[in-house]
Amino acid sequence: MALIIKRAKFLGFCEGVKRAIDLTEQALSNQSSKKQKSNITVVGELIHNKQVVSELENRGLKVVSAVEEVKPGATLIVRSHGMPKAHIDKAKKKGIEIIDATCVKVKRLHTITRILVEQGYDVVLVGDHNHAEVEAIVESVQDNITVVSTPEELKDKKFSKKIGVIAQTTQSEQNFIDVVTNLLKISREMKIYNTICNASILRQNAAASLSREVDLMVVIGGKHSANTKRLAEICRKNVETIHIETGNEILPENIKGKKTIGITAGASTPSWIVDKVEEKIRKLSRSHNPSKK
Ligand code: F3S
């Protein structure tokens, strides 16, 4: 029987990532049309996809690790994860032009956090420690915020005041629900904002439902991409799952004996990478079953 490959109903690039790439490409084209040497800079990876970032670097994008490294006169792209306002202000003072590609959903999360702090809530942010989006939120409000990545991390935590709960935009809905459920046991008053973005929810639900129908799930996206890792975790609960960045990582033994394979991709994965992965799976399958050529 020929191998059946199914793609998740929702996968790959989200609106926020598309916008960040469009704005960066536009800025790079503007400079090259003026025959200027590129000074378009981003702090950290523009998106969690090495292949896309290295293509933009080839076109002149500079990637630095801290705002202090951005040169006066340069143009700074604020990536879709956002940046603390203090860093943006520091850059403006140095005469750096800002192109703000912060996703609108991340901006909403910043606004809600600020309002909760102003209203006197102890904020609990359900998110990954050390993730750029989470760090930007924490730096923006400084105190009155606690980051928890799992319900277990609530153990021994004490909240003196009323609690405001929010989530990193790419969190798994179930993890958010689990943390909220546990918080209910220790809080008398809570305000809950589900700030998980719709693009994440659609991709997670589509991946979960496809993973129940197939023998193997292939999840494509950056190894550091929070939303891709989340998709892999969700699929792994239902079926054997591999998380890869490109088709080169798929081995013949991964697909051996599989009748149906599902594919999904994180919000930073372009469609051309998804196409190449599917092509590679088909090629490997043909080499296992030469009669199906
Ligand atoms: Fe924005 Fe959601 Fe994408 S927060 S960057 S639309 S995954």
Side-chain angles (χ1 to χ4, degrees):
M1 208 175 81
L3 175 72
I4 297 170
I5 300 176
K6 294 182 178 179
R7 291 192 188 195
K9 193 167 169 203
F10 298 96
L11 79 173
F13 270 6
C14 64
E15 286 308 312
V17 165
K18 256 191 243 157
R19 181 168 167 268
I21 294 174
D22 287 351
L23 288 171
T24 308
E25 285 183 334
Q26 239 171 52
L28 289 167
S29 315
N30 285 347
Q31 281 206 330
S32 86
S33 67
K34 289 181 201 154
K35 306 232 180 315
Q36 284 172 349
K37 196 165 167 269
S38 171
N39 61 8
I40 311 294
T41 311
V42 64
V43 178
E45 280 182 325
L46 178 70
I47 62 165
H48 289 304
N49 188 288
K50 280 189 214 141
Q51 294 70 29
V52 174
V53 172
S54 81
E55 211 177 281
L56 291 167
E57 282 182 293
N58 290 340
R59 292 181 55 189
L61 178 68
K62 290 190 175 50
V63 181
V64 297
S65 51
V67 74
E68 290 73 22
E69 294 171 46
V70 186
K71 301 222 164 57
T75 297
L76 172 65
I77 310 271
V78 177
R79 55 191 180 158
S80 46
H81 292 318
M83 263 174 96
K85 190 176 169 298
H87 291 195
I88 298 176
D89 292 345
K90 202 190 275 179
K92 281 184 185 161
K93 270 193 199 138
K94 273 170 71 181
I96 292 163
E97 189 196 334
I98 307 289
I99 296 180
D100 190 359
T102 310
C103 176
V104 286
K105 317 271 173 60
V106 176
K107 281 195 171 163
R108 175 176 173 260
L109 177 56
H110 277 264
T111 308
I112 291 172
T113 312
R114 206 188 53 243
I115 292 171
L116 284 171
V117 171
E118 282 167 7
Q119 292 177 343
Y121 285 85
D122 262 347
V123 177
V124 174
L125 168 56
V126 185
D128 302 330
H129 302 276
N130 308 323
H131 187 278
E133 179 185 316
V134 171
E135 284 174 345
I137 298 276
V138 173
E139 266 200 71
S140 297
V141 294
Q142 303 285 337
D143 304 320
N144 302 316
I145 187 159
T146 306
V147 179
V148 293
S149 63
T150 62
E152 289 72 39
E153 287 183 20
L154 286 172
K155 225 170 92 198
D156 308 325
K157 293 247 178 349
K158 295 233 171 345
F159 301 98
S160 51
K161 296 183 279 182
K162 46 195 186 175
I163 301 174
V165 201
I166 49 175
Q168 180 184 349
T169 53
T170 49
Q171 269 297 295
S172 108
E173 264 201 316
Q174 192 53 54
N175 190 46
F176 185 58
I177 292 167
D178 292 344
V179 173
V180 168
T181 309
N182 278 268
L183 276 169
L184 279 170
K185 296 176 193 157
I186 55 172
S187 168
R188 307 299 302 166
E189 186 182 341
M190 264 167 72
K191 201 176 228 183
I192 305 160
Y193 285 96
N194 184 351
T195 48
I196 301 172
C197 99
N198 203 33
S200 300
I201 294 172
L202 289 174
R203 279 155 188 72
Q204 288 172 14
N205 291 345
S209 111
L210 182 58
S211 67
R212 289 187 208 100
E213 291 175 29
V214 296
D215 304 321
L216 172 76
M217 275 302 289
V218 176
V219 181
I220 314 161
K223 293 277 160 71
H224 303 295
S225 152
N227 76 85
T228 313
K229 284 196 276 183
R230 206 86 60 214
L231 291 176
E233 273 164 29
I234 290 169
C235 295
R236 216 163 267 135
K237 286 185 185 150
N238 299 325
V239 73
E240 184 185 333
T241 298
I242 52 171
H243 175 180
I244 54 165
E245 291 189 352
T246 68
N248 297 337
E249 292 166 67
I250 304 180
L251 304 170
E253 51 265 41
N254 292 135
I255 69 153
K256 200 169 169 199
K258 306 289 190 284
K259 292 187 177 70
T260 49
I261 295 181
I263 295 181
T264 186
S268 301
T269 309
S271 55
W272 62 266
I273 293 188
V274 179
D275 293 343
K276 277 192 176 292
V277 168
E278 183 167 342
E279 215 175 275
K280 175 73 186 290
I281 296 172
R282 290 200 187 283
K283 201 167 152 200
L284 285 173
S285 157
R286 282 196 296 268
S287 60
H288 278 312
N289 307 290
S291 58
K292 303 285 181 316
K293 271 182 193 176

